[in-house]
Amino acid sequence: MRIVYTTEHKIHAPTFEVYEEERSAYPEVPDRIEMIARTLEDNGYADFIEPEHFSTRFVKRIHHPNYVKMLEKRSNAIREGQAFPSYFTRDTYAPITPGTYEASLRAVDTALMGAKLLKDGEKLVYSLCRPPGHHAEHVAMGGYCYFNNAAAAADYLSAYGKVAILDIDFHHGNGTQDIFYHRNDVLYVSLHADPNEKYPYVSGFTSEIGVDSGKGFTKNYPLPLTTTEAVYRKTLAKALLDIEEFGPDYLVLSAGFDTYIKDPIGKLGLDIPSYQRIGKEIATLKLPTLVIQEGGYMVDDLGDIALSLVRGLTH
Ligand code: Q9C
Ligand code: ZN
């Protein structure tokens, strides 16, 4: 397994989010990726590669050019503090800091590099993207996300075949859904906490199935907060059937670890060994697979969770 990683994610490090009118510590910290990288390396997954610099043309295929320009300008203009540009943000969970644009571009590069390796014949690649991406919509940031890494990778791969995106982050990937809602060459399937209860609140319902020729190519599986591993895997089996029926050439796995039982933001009934079993089930698809890092906030355990998932995907 190749691992795509760059230290440049560290230049994006917001200090606070706004939550219920109060400032609170920002949970999407650089240590998340460092922990995963170090644990994988210590356990024999040491084939690290730096992402190339891809053209921003790839970003502008999935985000409005004005949005891309805004993020560049606002990041570069800021001297201290954080900005929340009203028109282009969905919530108060994606502050712009001086390093946000550069780091977000490098996260997209990290995803695109993985996509390129898959296109060139690699069977499993793990792109250690940070900041995460699946809440980033065509014209809006939100939920710790600025550019949609998984969407960039899926769009890149769609030139070479049919692509399925399986999103197992705790939260619904409203951004990824938004970007592919009208398309039938990229299937988006998501398992996530019931949006009646959890962020992003306004999307991720079963009634959202796509639009125009994209109708039927979005599939949402909202889960109750009491979901156990058994229920989770039963739902995953349905999602995998959707993917098999679609018959893709590539799989992009939006891997968030905030479904972990000890996660401070998400949490469903999954423990560390659960991820190995989940990985094993996903591997039954026998598809070239690109893992894209999304959320997961229990920093101390993120490495072990990633390792567990990778063991499942590779055995
Ligand atoms: N302070 C991802 O997992 N709500 N984003 C947090 C707690 C926002 C999560 C509220 C959650 C966004 C990529
Ligand atoms: Zn999440």
Side-chain angles (χ1 to χ4, degrees):
M1 180 183 73
R2 317 284 308 264
I3 301 168
V4 190
Y5 167 83
T6 167
T7 57
E8 287 163 88
H9 73 86
K10 296 180 195 172
I11 62 180
H12 169 72
T15 50
F16 66 88
E17 62 179 354
V18 181
Y19 180 58
E20 291 180 346
E21 297 116 56
E22 304 279 351
R23 290 181 177 193
S24 50
Y26 198 70
E28 201 288 286
V29 293
D31 272 352
R32 299 176 52 247
I33 290 298
E34 295 303 294
M35 179 62 87
I36 296 171
R38 198 176 332 124
T39 310
L40 290 176
E41 188 170 27
D42 289 349
N43 287 277
Y45 294 97
D47 189 1
F48 283 76
I49 176 169
E50 278 261 335
E52 291 166 15
H53 289 264
F54 289 83
S55 162
T56 55
R57 176 166 58 86
F58 291 105
V59 183
K60 291 172 190 157
R61 286 177 54 89
I62 57 161
H63 293 291
H64 196 289
N66 292 353
Y67 171 70
V68 178
K69 198 182 293 164
M70 178 281 305
L71 190 59
E72 179 177 19
K73 278 200 174 150
R74 293 298 294 261
S75 287
N76 293 340
I78 214 159
R79 289 286 162 263
E80 55 181 308
Q82 304 183 163
F84 296 89
S86 59
Y87 179 79
F88 294 100
T89 194
R90 287 272 167 272
D91 52 55
T92 50
Y93 305 125
I96 300 178
T97 70
T100 298
Y101 176 71
E102 283 305 320
S104 301
L105 264 191
R106 291 301 278 154
V108 171
D109 285 341
T110 302
L112 289 171
M113 188 72 202
K116 185 179 173 185
L117 289 167
L118 234 62
K119 181 260 287 179
D120 289 339
E122 220 49 74
K123 290 293 172 250
L124 179 65
V125 181
Y126 195 156
S127 287
L128 292 179
C129 297
R130 184 182 169 276
H134 76 151
H135 297 305
E137 299 183 358
H138 184 61
V139 290
M141 59 189 80
Y144 318 147
C145 302
Y146 304 85
F147 291 148
N148 196 315
N149 309 310
D155 181 64
Y156 178 101
L157 286 168
S158 71
Y160 305 97
K162 286 166 72 177
V163 185
I165 304 171
L166 174 61
D167 190 331
I168 60 169
D169 186 278
F170 174 83
H171 304 96
H172 177 243
N174 57 292
T176 314
Q177 170 169 302
D178 174 62
I179 288 165
F180 295 110
Y181 212 51
H182 61 287
R183 285 175 61 168
N184 59 19
D185 58 335
V186 177
L187 175 74
Y188 179 67
V189 185
S190 179
L191 276 71
H192 49 265
D194 182 355
N196 287 306
E197 305 284 344
K198 288 287 176 181
Y199 183 91
Y201 304 110
V202 293
S203 69
F205 299 97
T206 49
S207 56
E208 296 157 25
I209 59 168
V211 74
D212 299 334
S213 57
K215 218 175 215 167
F217 297 89
T218 291
K219 277 285 256 179
N220 284 310
Y221 290 99
L223 299 161
L225 298 181
T226 52
T227 298
T228 58
E229 183 187 325
V231 170
Y232 191 92
R233 284 170 56 198
K234 210 175 265 176
T235 312
L236 178 65
K238 291 186 201 164
L240 296 180
L241 278 179
D242 295 333
I243 293 172
E244 266 169 8
E245 194 182 313
F246 177 66
D249 300 290
Y250 300 102
L251 179 70
V252 173
L253 180 65
S254 263
F257 302 147
D258 34 13
T259 44
Y260 177 46
I261 187 125
K262 291 191 215 161
D263 193 90
I265 292 179
K267 71 166 121 331
L268 294 176
L270 303 183
D271 57 16
I272 291 169
S274 306
Y275 291 88
Q276 181 160 353
R277 295 187 278 267
I278 287 167
K280 202 167 177 172
E281 276 163 22
I282 294 169
T284 62
L285 290 172
K286 298 213 175 336
L287 287 170
T289 299
L290 174 60
V291 183
I292 300 281
Q293 191 61 50
E294 301 285 0
Y297 307 96
M298 184 62 209
V299 176
D300 287 351
D301 294 342
L302 289 182
D304 292 331
I305 297 171
L307 182 63
S308 178
L309 177 71
V310 164
R311 286 191 169 135
L313 288 169
T314 51
H315 291 111

